[in-house]
Amino acid sequence: MDVRTRACGIRSILPVVAVLAASCASQTGGREPTTEGNACSRLQAVISEADAHFENIKRQRVPHRLGDRWEARGIFPDTTCEVWKWGGNEHYYCLWNETGEVAARQSFEEGKKAVRACLTNEWTLTEKQAKTGRVAVFSRENEDTRVALRYLADTRRYRPTWYTSLIVGNALRDPGELYHPAP
């Protein structure tokens, strides 16, 4: 996965707009002006596509040994966003590289606030410790679609690399156990 690194994480004067703002950096054309309203609209559009297997979000299919994946339009600035098909279930997945654990945790906390501001009161937040980092899952009663934010470390290297991720999907029961295809 092509993960774009950022030197300063998601730290801005307006974290809600910064976290849920522009399209993926790999998208062609210029960035749209960012407002809290259009950032929330993008998140809600991704959520509404879960039942349709993200068909209107998928772009070019990219072969991968772990399963099917498609490039996808993002809702976060400077991230890599894709739709992954794992075990018959499809998930919208964004991942961004942080400069360390503190930056990943800060991005995670700001992301929770931004997502909460975009969702209705029907959505509840459940948060727990994951193998590395933490995971926050927004869900609705009697609905399958979940929105999960997580900060995590890829510990396969000498020094762990920290990431923050967003996953939207219908079969997202325990995103703490979900495989994160970090590079």
Side-chain angles (χ1 to χ4, degrees):
M1 179 181 291
D2 175 33
V3 176
R4 301 184 187 275
T5 58
R6 295 179 304 145
C8 62
I10 299 179
R11 291 186 287 273
S12 76
I13 297 171
L14 300 172
V16 172
V17 175
V19 173
L20 295 172
S23 298
C24 288
S26 62
Q27 191 169 328
T28 58
R31 291 186 179 212
E32 298 174 28
T34 57
T35 66
E36 185 176 341
N38 77 21
C40 286
S41 293
R42 289 179 184 169
L43 175 61
Q44 291 163 356
V46 169
I47 292 168
S48 70
E49 283 291 315
D51 287 335
H53 306 284
F54 305 102
E55 290 301 326
N56 292 320
I57 294 173
K58 290 177 184 173
R59 294 194 171 164
Q60 181 177 349
R61 186 176 181 280
V62 180
H64 195 277
R65 64 180 175 79
L66 296 175
D68 295 331
R69 73 179 177 130
W70 295 263
E71 294 175 355
R73 180 176 183 200
I75 54 177
F76 292 112
D78 302 321
T79 62
T80 298
C81 302
E82 300 171 323
V83 173
W84 279 83
K85 185 174 183 178
W86 288 302
N89 300 306
E90 293 181 29
H91 300 91
Y92 175 85
Y93 181 77
C94 292
L95 182 73
W96 56 102
N97 184 305
E98 301 294 353
T99 56
E101 182 178 3
V102 171
R105 185 176 347 165
Q106 181 177 355
S107 180
F108 169 77
E109 293 298 332
E110 290 173 357
K112 282 190 313 186
K113 290 175 189 171
V115 170
R116 166 52 66 209
C118 292
L119 301 176
T120 64
N121 290 335
E122 297 174 324
W123 291 83
T124 59
L125 171 63
T126 306
E127 190 172 339
K128 68 179 186 175
Q129 190 66 36
K131 185 176 178 181
T132 63
R134 278 188 85 67
V135 63
V137 180
F138 293 89
S139 62
R140 292 178 288 186
E141 191 172 328
N142 300 320
E143 294 286 333
D144 289 333
T145 303
R146 309 276 192 273
V147 178
L149 282 158
R150 180 173 177 196
Y151 76 96
L152 64 142
D154 179 357
T155 57
R156 295 177 289 185
R157 298 182 176 130
Y158 175 71
R159 290 184 186 195
T161 303
W162 287 89
Y163 298 93
T164 307
S165 70
L166 170 100
I167 304 174
V168 177
N170 283 349
L172 197 58
R173 297 289 177 233
D174 189 356
E177 299 298 318
L178 211 108
Y179 177 76
H180 288 262

